[in-house]
Amino acid sequence: MADTQVREKTPVDFWFDPLCPWAWMTSRWMLEVEKVRDVEVRWHVMSLAVLNEHRLEELPERYREIVGPKGWAPVRVVIAAQQKHGDEVTGKLYTALGTRIHNQDLGATREVIAAALDEVGLPAELIRFADSDEYDEVLRESHNNGIERVGQEVGTPVISVPGADGSDVAFFGPVVTPTPRGEAAARLWDGTLLVASTPGFYEIKRTRTEGPRFD
């Protein structure tokens, strides 16, 4: 008799800002992990603009382009789409935005956001939320839900995975380039679960010697 039992997938909560290239790299890794492990990613919005709104003057000018006023448009549109059309559109819209912003190097213009909405079949009128604060409270709640798990001194991505006792353990990262594929993605995932199951584990880090490579 065939085994018809369906294994329950491991939930992974992933917080992203569409403008962050490192979050984009990690998100593509998680999509690879979904292919090789029984994992289901649940996508959440966080905002570098929210994270840095009280310390903009301390940041390099090039970084202010991402976390300053221009950084609000993509996250506002994504959170509005999520609120109006359900959680299932969040990851799809992120992929459509990130492909254009990062892989195609088109930036986060209104035209880019509109094209991403069109690709995933979302109403064009959602673009109006790029300049609207209507869902900012929800955006901040989503952001805080992620960042409070890891602390204010980190950014995006944030992932939350099951720990040894079944409770969730959250990390900033992993920060990796290029995106691991296939078995390499699986090994990194297995290692992530390993460190998450180690009580008191906090950090492994080294200086980045290259930028994100969008293969």
Side-chain angles (χ1 to χ4, degrees):
M1 179 181 295
D3 183 4
T4 58
Q5 184 178 2
V6 178
R7 286 185 294 182
E8 186 176 350
K9 293 188 175 182
T10 300
V12 182
D13 290 290
F14 190 107
W15 281 263
F16 67 90
D17 183 317
L19 290 179
C20 178
W22 293 107
W24 177 246
M25 302 301 297
T26 308
S27 72
R28 299 311 93 182
W29 163 66
M30 282 308 316
L31 292 183
E32 285 290 310
V33 174
E34 282 191 321
K35 300 175 185 177
V36 294
R37 292 290 186 266
D38 291 322
V39 165
E40 181 179 17
V41 182
R42 301 184 298 202
W43 303 99
H44 308 276
V45 180
M46 65 179 294
S47 170
L48 292 173
V50 171
L51 184 68
N52 294 283
E53 63 184 337
H54 299 304
R55 61 188 194 99
L56 282 179
E57 297 305 316
E58 304 171 16
L59 303 174
E61 185 174 351
R62 59 180 177 79
Y63 194 55
R64 290 181 215 160
E65 288 293 306
I66 296 177
V67 305
K70 294 181 180 179
W72 286 91
V75 290
R76 280 174 163 169
V77 171
V78 175
I79 204 73
Q82 182 186 58
Q83 293 300 300
K84 287 180 168 292
H85 299 278
D87 291 339
E88 63 273 11
V89 306
T90 310
K92 297 175 183 178
L93 182 54
Y94 179 31
T95 291
L97 283 168
T99 299
R100 289 168 171 80
I101 293 170
H102 303 296
N103 293 74
Q104 299 173 13
D105 197 23
L106 297 177
T109 64
R110 296 300 190 272
E111 292 77 14
V112 163
I113 297 173
L117 290 168
D118 181 67
E119 178 183 322
V120 298
L122 289 168
E125 66 93 22
L126 285 171
I127 191 65
R128 73 178 179 86
F129 290 99
D131 300 308
S132 170
D133 63 0
E134 182 173 341
Y135 290 108
D136 279 7
E137 183 177 348
V138 180
L139 170 61
R140 290 178 183 276
E141 288 176 0
S142 179
H143 170 88
N144 289 333
N145 187 19
I147 205 68
E148 287 174 358
R149 299 168 186 241
V150 289
Q152 296 291 330
E153 69 274 12
V154 301
T156 176
V158 169
I159 64 170
S160 181
V161 303
D165 61 358
S167 61
D168 290 343
V169 177
F171 295 110
F172 163 65
V175 176
V176 60
T177 189
T179 297
R181 307 286 181 181
E183 187 56 30
R187 288 195 301 270
L188 180 55
W189 170 249
D190 294 342
T192 300
L193 290 185
L194 177 63
V195 297
S197 68
T198 304
F201 176 85
Y202 290 101
E203 185 176 18
I204 294 176
K205 191 172 183 178
R206 62 174 177 163
T207 300
R208 300 174 198 170
T209 57
E210 61 177 316
R213 290 156 50 190
F214 308 119
D215 294 341

